[in-house]
Amino acid sequence: METKDRIIHSAIKLFNQKGTKSVTTNHIAAAAGISPGNLYYHFRNKEAIIRAVFDRIVEFTETGSSYGSGFRVKPSIENMEAVFMRVLTLHWKYRFLYREFNALLNRDKDLKAAIIRDQKRRLTEIRYSILAFIEAGIFRDMDESEIEFLKTSLWIIGTYWHSYLESGGKKITIARVEEGIDMMRKLLRPYMNETVVVPD
Amino acid sequence: METKDRIIHSAIKLFNQKGTKSVTTNHIAAAAGISPGNLYYHFRNKEAIIRAVFDRIVEFTETGSSYGSGFRVKPSIENMEAVFMRVLTLHWKYRFLYREFNALLNRDKDLKAAIIRDQKRRLTEIRYSILAFIEAGIFRDMDESEIEFLKTSLWIIGTYWHSYLESGGKKITIARVEEGIDMMRKLLRPYMNETVVVPD
């Protein structure tokens, strides 16, 4: 692994375990097996590392079977569930960030700008996906306010699912991730055409 | 105002403005117009102040027209909307806490225990409210998994509504709070009996 990747990898691990507050660049350098000077060669400070982590999330989401592209291929229940799984797994992998989301963005203007930009793009993609599902006859016709509601609540439940579990004292397991998918499934059920077979 | 209240009041204001990380007990003492020594007489450290703020939230929620008691009086659309407004206003007043929710609970075992206890009680209250609304004929009959879904999604949307707005770069106004209420209204609509008149 390249040094830069090693730093990011070690940072994610430490942040997830202890939160960004109590982890220093020295801790990260030690965990990555490099000198603090070498770390500073790649990243000016802890905030720069956090931004680099967020850039990876954006990159991952934008490539491959992201929200939009998965649906652009074929709007189907199976593809929808795969996207939900992908999103919730991503949020678990980088859980420190979603745990501290709003605290972090209030401390770093650049991160805030990146988060706002990403949220806007993702919400637009979800909107297009919903339209594609209506077009494909999986969802029933909806008015604009229903589309907005579905888009926003899918986003909120997906983004904060692990935070919700954690603040309820739940240990997070793969079964809990699947409960999150089930939440999204239930949210959509009233908007599905009755002929569509939904897994239970 | 008593000194203890003055400290809490000043702390909330500063935390909301700057986040808990960059606010020190010295800043809080200065804002409250007291000496640091006087602050330490009332609170051992910043974490103790944050826990005291959370205690107030719990106290406010448990008294008066909280989730449960409002509905125990009379399950009606008007009462439901009033409770939503009350919850979202509360979350806005103490927004620093909901912004940093999971980061804070991971840093303080006592706060974590209080948050877990409160979430459990609130979710139970929401459950009872839903049952009362079914009993009153406002909601249609539901199976257990629908009740669980509604309970959980009402909670997640209510808890993270302002965080969602903030991470979308939205300025929070009273109109935005009402959008949150509208989200909850739309969430419930498919579960309402058709004879119920819902405001738009």
Side-chain angles (χ1 to χ4, degrees):
Chain A
M1 227 189 312
E2 276 185 41
T3 308
K4 207 164 180 170
D5 288 330
R6 277 231 305 279
I7 296 169
I8 291 181
H9 185 78
S10 303
I12 293 168
K13 204 171 160 186
L14 288 171
F15 289 157
N16 278 341
Q17 279 167 3
K18 304 175 186 193
T20 60
K21 195 191 177 185
S22 48
V23 174
T24 65
T25 45
N26 280 356
H27 294 141
I28 299 168
I34 60 169
S35 69
N38 195 355
L39 184 142
Y40 286 119
Y41 173 79
H42 293 283
F43 295 102
R44 204 158 45 88
N45 51 30
K46 191 161 71 176
E47 281 61 46
I49 301 177
I50 296 170
R51 283 197 300 274
V53 172
F54 189 69
D55 288 345
R56 300 216 157 181
I57 295 176
V58 173
E59 201 188 313
F60 175 86
T61 315
E62 299 256 320
T63 55
S65 55
S66 78
Y67 290 91
S69 53
F71 292 151
R72 274 197 291 274
V73 175
K74 183 175 170 274
S76 72
I77 298 288
E78 293 71 25
N79 280 348
M80 189 174 76
E81 303 243 327
V83 173
F84 292 162
M85 189 53 156
R86 190 175 149 96
V87 171
L88 288 179
T89 308
L90 183 80
H91 288 183
W92 171 242
K93 186 172 173 191
Y94 301 102
R95 57 197 172 280
F96 83 90
L97 204 139
Y98 295 93
R99 242 183 224 154
E100 305 183 28
F101 217 48
N102 291 70
L104 288 173
L105 72 87
N106 274 295
R107 285 207 292 270
D108 181 343
K109 281 193 195 324
D110 292 335
L111 181 65
K112 184 172 183 165
I115 285 176
I116 291 173
R117 198 164 50 233
D118 179 63
Q119 178 163 321
K120 204 172 170 184
R121 292 192 60 147
R122 297 286 85 74
L123 285 170
T124 303
E125 281 191 312
I126 300 176
R127 192 183 137 73
Y128 283 135
S129 301
I130 295 172
L131 294 174
F133 272 72
I134 296 173
E135 180 81 24
I138 297 171
F139 293 165
R140 64 164 171 75
D141 274 341
M142 297 179 210
D143 62 31
E144 195 52 44
S145 82
E146 287 176 315
I147 295 172
E148 283 299 300
F149 160 75
L150 276 188
K151 182 186 86 175
T152 311
S153 34
L154 278 173
W155 175 265
I156 293 178
I157 292 172
T159 305
Y160 297 106
W161 179 245
H162 296 112
S163 294
Y164 157 74
L165 291 176
E166 208 168 46
S167 61
K170 303 262 170 66
K171 206 171 165 295
I172 294 159
T173 60
I174 186 70
R176 297 275 181 209
V177 176
E178 275 160 13
E179 274 179 35
I181 295 177
D182 197 50
M183 287 289 294
M184 294 168 159
R185 208 184 270 154
K186 288 209 170 62
L187 177 72
L188 298 173
R189 183 153 318 179
Y191 302 90
M192 292 203 173
N193 272 322
E194 285 182 21
T195 49
V196 176
V197 179
V198 186
D200 234 335
Chain B
M1 225 187 316
E2 277 185 40
T3 309
K4 206 163 178 170
D5 288 330
R6 278 231 305 279
I7 296 168
I8 290 181
H9 186 80
S10 303
I12 293 167
K13 205 171 160 183
L14 288 171
F15 289 157
N16 277 342
Q17 279 167 5
K18 304 177 187 191
T20 60
K21 195 190 177 184
S22 50
V23 175
T24 65
T25 45
N26 281 356
H27 294 141
I28 298 168
I34 61 170
S35 70
N38 196 354
L39 183 142
Y40 285 120
Y41 173 78
H42 293 284
F43 295 103
R44 204 157 45 88
N45 51 31
K46 190 160 73 174
E47 281 62 43
I49 301 177
I50 296 170
R51 282 198 301 272
V53 172
F54 189 70
D55 288 345
R56 299 217 159 182
I57 295 177
V58 173
E59 202 188 313
F60 175 86
T61 315
E62 299 257 319
T63 58
S65 56
S66 76
Y67 288 91
S69 55
F71 291 153
R72 274 197 290 272
V73 176
K74 183 174 171 274
S76 72
I77 299 288
E78 294 72 24
N79 279 349
M80 189 174 75
E81 303 244 326
V83 172
F84 292 163
M85 188 53 155
R86 189 174 150 97
V87 171
L88 288 178
T89 309
L90 182 79
H91 288 181
W92 171 242
K93 185 174 173 192
Y94 300 102
R95 57 197 173 278
F96 83 88
L97 204 140
Y98 295 94
R99 242 183 223 154
E100 304 184 28
F101 218 49
N102 291 70
L104 288 174
L105 72 87
N106 275 295
R107 284 208 292 270
D108 180 345
K109 282 195 196 323
D110 292 336
L111 181 66
K112 183 171 184 167
I115 285 176
I116 291 173
R117 200 164 48 234
D118 180 63
Q119 178 163 321
K120 204 172 169 184
R121 292 193 60 145
R122 297 287 83 73
L123 285 170
T124 303
E125 282 191 313
I126 300 176
R127 191 183 139 75
Y128 283 134
S129 302
I130 294 172
L131 293 174
F133 272 71
I134 295 172
E135 180 81 25
I138 296 170
F139 293 165
R140 64 166 170 74
D141 275 339
M142 297 179 209
D143 62 32
E144 196 52 43
S145 82
E146 286 175 317
I147 296 172
E148 283 298 302
F149 160 74
L150 276 187
K151 183 186 85 175
T152 310
S153 36
L154 279 171
W155 175 265
I156 293 178
I157 292 171
T159 304
Y160 298 106
W161 180 245
H162 296 113
S163 294
Y164 157 73
L165 291 175
E166 209 168 46
S167 60
K170 302 263 169 65
K171 206 169 164 298
I172 293 159
T173 60
I174 185 70
R176 297 275 181 208
V177 176
E178 275 159 13
E179 274 179 34
I181 294 177
D182 197 51
M183 287 288 294
M184 292 167 160
R185 209 184 270 153
K186 288 209 171 65
L187 178 71
L188 298 173
R189 184 154 316 183
Y191 303 89
M192 291 201 175
N193 273 320
E194 283 180 21
T195 50
V196 177
V197 180
V198 187
D200 232 337

